[in-house]
Amino acid sequence: MTAIDIVPVTGPALLDRFIRLPERLHKDDPHYIAPLHLERKEALTAKNPFFGHADVQFWLARKDGRDVGRISAQIDHHALELRPDGTGQFGLIAAEDDPAIIKALLDVAADWLRARDMTRMQGPLNLNINEEIGLLVDGFGTPPMLLMGHDKPYLGPRLEEQGLRKEKDVYAYLYDITKDLPAGARRLIDRPLPKGVTVRRMDFKRYDDEIKAVTSIFNDAWRDNWGFVPLTEVETDYLAKSLKPLLNPRLVRFVEQDGEAVGFIVCLPNLNEAIRDLNGKLLPLGWAKLLWRLKVAGLKTARVPLMGIRKAASQGMIGSLLPFLLIDAVRTDAAAMGFQHIELSWILENNMPMRRINESLGGVAYKTYRIYEKAL
């Protein structure tokens, strides 16, 4: 039997191989979209502020002289400050359909975490709870949206063979915004706004203040949710700057009560639709194609990666109305801009209030991502 070598990723050449490996594994998958290499290099190096509060290691698996798998292991110290439960994470897993390769990858990640006093392994998180999470286990027949994963169908069963078990599922909901809202939701939204409640677009003239408001509302809204780790202003600013070319004030809305921002929604054009045939490369003609599609040709899909309502504002009848107002405001402008489908993701399987809102607005849970766990 040919040996499997596990190689720590050190230096830019190995990182480049690490980033490109899934492109070969998915070469026959018409729905796979390679992320931009430049974006991945930023996300997987110290330019990403996550590295300021985490320990991270990447590995490649090699067999018969070729790269056949990859994995990361990471320890998020912000998460451990909130929950000192000895949980470390693995992520970015991709491999050929070979149990020995997948075992070798999981073993090296587990050993690395165990050597740093972790007692439980959780994942995949790419790289943390506020970035890409979960392994795709249902919904392989459509391409992934911006900053969402796309995995091989065999990978989930292979993880389970190695003793990992489901910890939590999260859903991606898809809206067909060319269709009107269901009648019940339409009646609710068409009522006059409660006194003191307004919905407004993002004000780019106050960009820094708006980003601070997003951070504050997000951390308040989701603080009691499973897996929550607060966003720092540095992380929100990094995310906002990296995605700023996609931000459009018509697709970023705040809801205010008596002049105070108490909720927000961020909808982004689906960059994956624009880069689907670039194979991760922007040179020599990728930039031109990307700009044409974003600015001229127009995209038909978008994604809502961030949304939140302050807990104090989420109570009672008015509180239950605010998410409807935000989603409808974005979908109305998105439809006017030529978009046809919006994904809202991700939604925890046990977040029944948000799932009911999505479904009452006509959303369909069309992809399932799974987070696994295993004692070390």
Side-chain angles (χ1 to χ4, degrees):
M1 180 180 292
T2 306
I4 298 167
D5 296 319
I6 301 297
V7 180
V9 172
T10 56
L14 283 171
L15 181 61
D16 187 64
R17 285 162 48 186
F18 183 92
I19 289 169
R20 292 170 186 260
L21 173 64
E23 296 168 27
R24 180 177 65 78
L25 299 178
H26 289 271
K27 67 182 187 303
D28 297 323
D29 184 347
H31 301 299
Y32 177 75
I33 298 174
L36 293 174
H37 298 158
L38 287 174
E39 182 275 327
R40 287 290 83 192
K41 286 175 183 176
E42 283 210 357
L44 302 182
T45 61
K47 292 183 179 180
N48 182 344
F50 173 71
F51 284 74
H53 57 85
D55 302 322
V56 183
Q57 180 62 56
F58 306 132
W59 294 271
L60 282 166
R62 289 183 56 76
K63 182 179 180 181
D64 296 327
R66 69 183 194 282
D67 298 334
V68 294
R70 72 175 196 180
I71 199 168
S72 71
Q74 57 268 6
I75 299 172
D76 184 345
H77 295 290
H78 282 183
L80 290 174
E81 287 169 8
L82 282 175
R83 294 177 296 278
D85 59 0
T87 298
Q89 285 81 35
F90 73 95
L92 297 162
I93 187 166
E96 293 183 2
D97 188 12
D98 181 336
I101 296 171
I102 293 166
K103 181 181 187 303
L105 289 167
L106 291 170
D107 283 350
V108 73
D111 289 345
W112 186 89
L113 292 170
R114 200 179 288 113
R116 288 155 181 80
D117 299 322
M118 296 297 101
T119 58
R120 192 172 76 104
M121 182 168 69
Q122 174 195 64
L125 273 64
N126 307 336
L127 291 165
N128 71 75
I129 196 72
N130 294 321
E131 296 184 51
E132 299 176 25
I133 73 166
L135 186 84
L136 184 67
V137 295
D138 184 61
F140 300 97
T142 53
M145 294 272 189
L146 167 74
L147 299 177
M148 295 294 282
H150 188 77
D151 301 292
K152 285 290 193 178
Y154 58 73
L155 199 49
R158 291 298 187 207
L159 294 185
E160 292 167 14
E161 287 174 358
Q162 299 304 320
L164 279 84
R165 64 179 183 85
K166 170 189 166 181
E167 180 173 8
K168 191 72 68 175
D169 279 352
V170 300
Y171 298 123
Y173 276 83
L174 191 68
Y175 290 88
D176 181 348
I177 62 172
T178 65
K179 298 178 180 178
D180 195 12
L181 294 172
R186 175 51 63 200
R187 284 194 299 271
L188 178 68
I189 289 169
D190 285 346
R191 295 173 182 171
L193 290 179
K195 184 178 179 181
V197 174
T198 57
V199 180
R200 65 170 177 84
R201 295 173 179 173
M202 181 179 184
D203 184 354
F204 270 73
K205 294 179 181 178
R206 299 191 299 116
Y207 182 80
D208 290 343
D209 290 337
E210 301 282 60
I211 296 303
K212 289 178 181 178
V214 166
T215 307
S216 175
I217 295 169
F218 176 87
N219 288 339
D220 180 75
W222 300 112
R223 67 177 185 266
D224 296 328
N225 272 30
W226 173 88
F228 170 76
V229 177
L231 279 172
T232 65
E233 288 189 6
V234 173
E235 287 172 314
T236 312
D237 185 58
Y238 165 78
L239 181 64
K241 286 179 178 175
S242 63
L243 297 173
K244 194 171 184 179
L246 299 178
L247 287 174
N248 186 310
R250 297 178 69 180
L251 300 179
V252 182
R253 297 297 187 100
F254 289 88
V255 63
E256 296 184 339
Q257 275 188 306
D258 300 321
E260 178 190 359
V262 296
F264 74 92
I265 187 169
V266 176
C267 183
L268 300 171
N270 178 25
L271 182 66
N272 279 8
E273 186 183 339
I275 65 172
R276 62 192 181 277
D277 58 351
L278 300 185
N279 297 319
K281 303 171 187 174
L282 283 174
L283 297 174
L285 298 176
W287 278 115
K289 291 180 180 178
L290 180 57
L291 291 172
W292 169 263
R293 291 166 184 172
L294 288 176
K295 302 295 185 182
V296 182
L299 303 179
K300 301 302 180 186
T301 55
R303 178 184 170 226
V304 173
L306 290 172
M307 179 179 171
I309 306 288
R310 287 194 185 278
K311 287 191 176 297
S314 65
Q315 309 304 312
M317 287 297 294
I318 292 178
S320 64
L321 175 65
L322 300 186
F324 287 90
L325 295 177
L326 287 169
I327 294 171
D328 186 59
V330 161
R331 64 177 284 152
T332 298
D333 266 4
M337 296 166 67
F339 292 96
Q340 296 177 354
H341 292 90
I342 291 178
E343 178 181 290
L344 201 150
S345 55
W346 42 268
I347 307 296
L348 286 167
E349 63 179 336
N350 61 336
N351 187 349
M352 296 312 298
M354 197 65 224
R355 290 182 61 186
R356 288 190 202 95
I357 289 171
N358 275 301
E359 288 159 16
S360 67
L361 288 168
V364 177
Y366 82 122
K367 288 181 184 289
T368 304
Y369 294 84
R370 181 160 296 165
I371 297 95
Y372 293 89
E373 64 94 24
K374 181 180 181 181
L376 297 178

